[in-house]
Amino acid sequence: MNRITDFDTLRRAMADNAEQPEGPARNARAEQLLAEAEKLNVPLAVIEALGHQLKVYNYSSEKDKMFVPFARLLRMWDERPGDFDEYETHSLHWVFKWMSAGMLDQPHIPLAAIEKWLGEMEHRYRLAGHSERAVRSAEFSVAAHTGDLDRAERAYAAWLTADRDSMADCHACELHGQGWWQTQRGADAEALDLWAPVLDGEFTCAHEPHTVLAASLAPLLRLGRLDEARAHHLRGFRLVRPMESMRAAYADHVEFCALSGNEARGLELLAERPAYFTDTGHPRSRLEFMCVVTLLMDRLTELGLGGRQVPGPAGRVWTARELAAHARAEALGLAARFDQRNGTPYVSERARARMERRPLVDRLPLGIRAERLSRTGRPAQPVPAAPVAAPPAGGADAPDLAALLAEARRLSDGLEPNAVEAWAAVSRAAEGVELDPRARAEIADHRAMDLGPEGAELFERAAELYAEADDPGEALAARTRAAYVRALGGQVAEAVHAVAEPYDRVLGLYAEGATGVRQTASVLMGRARILMRRVQDADDAAQGPESGAAPAEQAAPHGAPDGTEPDHDAPETGGPASGAGRDTVLAEAGAAAREVLALVEGHAGDDVRLASRAAEARAMLAELAVHHGDLEAAAELFARASGAYVDAGLPWFAVEYEARLAGLAHHLGDTAEAERALKAALEHGGPQLEATGRAQLHLQLAEVLGTRDLSAEAAEHALEAAHWADEAGGGPTFGAWARHLLGGFLLRQGRCAEAAEVLESALLDLTVETHGDGAIVQTQWWLGDCLSELGEHRASAERRLQAAEIARHWPEQHDHATLAHLAAESLGHAGLPAEADRAYARAGDLWRSLGNVHGLVRSLRGRAWLALGAEDSADTARELMTLALRECESALNAASDEETRQRLTAELGHTHRQFGDLLARSSAEDAGDGSIQAAFAEALSEVAEAVEVFATLGYEAVHSRTGAELAAGWLASDLGRSAEAAARARAVLTAYEDAEDGDDEARARRAEAEQLLRVAREQEDR
């Protein structure tokens, strides 16, 4: 810590302290600086140190400390106003407003004292000649806080009609207060209209749009403007997070989580700010915070999570139920203190109302990493389609077994999604009841379907019961299902052998009229599935095991129409099955599928079972077409299969085929068809589509839309994918990938704050093993771009350097070079010139090794500008810029094609232009006139050269040329060469004679040229 020896040193120290993060450490330093100021024996030094102390107290959790330095400042003003300069005089009157608000926030300060202070403020403002606008604003705050609504309305109207002057709050803060009042009156839409200029960035200040973004959350939820609410939370919380003094705004974000089904996110926010539970310097914001803590904890308790451990005040472990009771007591205790001071029950009424608010949205996906809370405190599982209710275990209220059986048969015949659950209900109701063999067969059959590969023996039992019920065709179908589930369990050869007899027998029965087409089709389809499974086995033998299920398989909401699992494992693209007899394997599978089609076509009518057989058979032929490499035919067959299911009223079975069709279309380059198919899959799946499948379809759709530059719509689907991945428990895997994509799409739209939150969330789960190092590098890269746009340059540099370190090990080094270059830019903006220079040098070496002259030249220019900012480094800056020119000229001389020459010529022009700018700025302000004139003359020479270079590129470089022309004109004017300046201005005007009216760049250049021309003429006249 440097010792304070004079006033300038003190001012620099206060300026440095003002840049530090809010909090006790900054406050303590301000107290030390006041003690040092008092030693200087300079009244203004003490005044400025007191003002600095007051400011850091106000922007911290220790707001209650600011009254002492203000009282001292006011006493000094009353005793010796001449000790205050103009700025400190203004500041003293400005912070009167802070005092009135600060007193209102401290319940131990009597209301009479606050009212007296308002009168004092009004008196002093009048003496100083200030408008009463700030006074009426302060009066409004007092009246609104105490619940004197009539007075509040009068003061509000007086505030708005009074003239704005230098004492009025900034536009952003005023609009925040005005919008807040509209929300209290139930006018949410009007509030948002008032806040629009702040939200759009037209008006900003140290705490805006931070507080407006937070205040807008509940109104947006109430209005159903959910996309905006999500965006305001992500964008606003990023602004509020580092600012200790913004506990009330932080509370708004916690409340948003409680009201939007993001309770787990709310717990994360509480964990980030443990001091907010106990900081006592600002009771009013503590009251607001404790209210929303109560709201969140009550919500968790309602969800059955009252016993869950939650973040709370330090010193003990808290459950949600315990923290709810504690926070409620704290909030009501604070509210009672305010009400006792105010003489009204208004604060307590508002506190209770806030604690009792009800959720406005069941769940608003945020796109960031999230845990779905369940009653057990574990992530919730996706909700399946509603099952058929289990009947009571007997008694008069037990459902009629015959009715249950009829309903189960109806659902089975219609291939409805809940048929298996319906049969389970029948099974439960039939316990202890003697049923006929047919009913027992159906119960066993459907229980076996529910067991999957473990149901083979139960299928065999069902076959025996069907035979006993004199239905030989269905008995053979059940035996076929037993063979198929054994194939699913890996016993493919045994299944092929086992299905041979049922196949021969059912054909014989069908020929004799002893069984129907439905039973025969069931056996033929079972055999076809087994043979398709053999195709998959051949693939596996040739290619090795797949790393995971294909998206189409994951997207499927149900099994095959008869409840067993169809074969969906054929690869999306690839050659024929390999191994011995591969042609035979493929041919037999194809023949089996066509045999099904030949049997059922023309017989289906209204029989959805037969229609589904035809659709599935076509899908099998589509899979085989893929194996043969005929992707166009495969796509057509998948489309026909999907259409058949939809036509039969079974759209949920079309989902996987639309997904497979989308994959093929994407592979064939038909992204429009891929988009259509994926949207159709989502539509067809409806509520039957499970969370995993829904996530996968949204994810694929986001990727397809992204390739079509439809970033806004792609972001919507990436958001849905992330949400459903979390619901399915896949947050760390495909959920992280969805967040990665979502962040990129948001960045494309310029929504950098939201993108940064999402990308930071994605990085928590992205791993090299699961997602690859390329995904991590890209995410870091995007995040660095976001942070750069947000002005967080040091953080941007860190992300870019982290990405560069990974890319350093890649065989191709272009990404490494680009990231090092970008990191250098960020380091330079962050005020770290030495680090920036090293990064530029690293990038330059890489660009040179890659033969990329443009990158090399730009890195040299970047280093030159950095050198210019260093002490006594002007010569180094010149040398680096000269080297950049030399590299560019050398590459231009060696260029072998016109396009390369054009690009290098433009680069040369920009380098001359920047060299000229650098030379003009290199002359020290205290240098002699001769030195400055020489620097300007040399700069003019370089900029004039840039003009000539750009002129060779014709109209394509007109803006670059006219920009250099104007720069040269101003330099000529500074050198007293008015004729040259005028000539250059006229050259710019001539260049834009034919420019269109809507060309903003041309309009701006013409205006500047006219200004330069006027200056040149005035010089000539003198």
Side-chain angles (χ1 to χ4, degrees), residues 222-243:
R222 288 193 291 265
L223 293 170
R225 293 161 61 172
L226 304 184
D227 290 341
E228 292 173 77
R230 176 194 305 110
H232 287 199
H233 171 63
L234 295 178
R235 176 183 164 201
F237 185 70
R238 188 171 193 86
L239 295 172
V240 168
R241 178 188 278 134
M243 302 184 74

Side-chain angles (χ1 to χ4, degrees), residues 101 194 205 273 344 373 417 616 635 646 716 770 790 872 882 974 984:
L194 280 168
C205 69
R273 282 291 188 181
T344 71
L373 297 175
E616 188 177 349
V646 173
E716 293 174 9
T770 302
L790 295 170
D872 299 327
T882 300
D974 290 336
R984 293 193 179 279

Side-chain angles (χ1 to χ4, degrees), residues 9 91 151 172 257 276 286 467 543 606 618 631 664 729 957 967 1018:
T9 306
S91 296
R151 183 187 180 193
C257 294
Y276 277 173
R286 186 162 183 257
Q543 301 172 11
D606 295 331
R618 283 198 175 85
L631 303 188
L664 290 172
E1018 289 171 2

Side-chain angles (χ1 to χ4, degrees), residues 50 53-54 57-58 62-75 95-109 114 117 281-283 341:
L50 283 167
Q53 188 182 74
L54 194 156
Y57 283 155
N58 184 60
E62 298 179 310
K63 292 177 183 286
D64 54 338
K65 291 185 175 182
M66 67 182 177
F67 301 108
V68 173
F70 181 74
R72 186 175 173 188
L73 275 171
L74 194 59
R75 185 173 63 251
V95 296
F96 263 91
K97 299 179 296 182
W98 294 0
M99 294 306 107
S100 61
M103 289 178 179
L104 200 62
D105 296 338
Q106 304 291 332
H108 68 278
I109 299 179
I114 298 172
W117 182 256
H282 192 241
R341 188 269 304 276

Side-chain angles (χ1 to χ4, degrees), residues 510 516-518 521 595-611 614:
Y510 182 66
V517 68
R518 179 185 285 191
E595 189 176 21
V596 174
L597 276 174
L599 174 68
V600 302
E601 285 193 321
H603 294 281
D606 295 331
D607 191 328
V608 296
R609 281 183 171 271
L610 293 181

Side-chain angles (χ1 to χ4, degrees), residues 622 625-626 628-639 661 664-665 667-669:
V626 171
H628 287 292
D630 191 350
L631 303 188
E632 290 84 358
E636 180 185 352
L637 286 164
F638 275 131
L661 175 57
L664 290 172
H667 184 79
L668 292 167

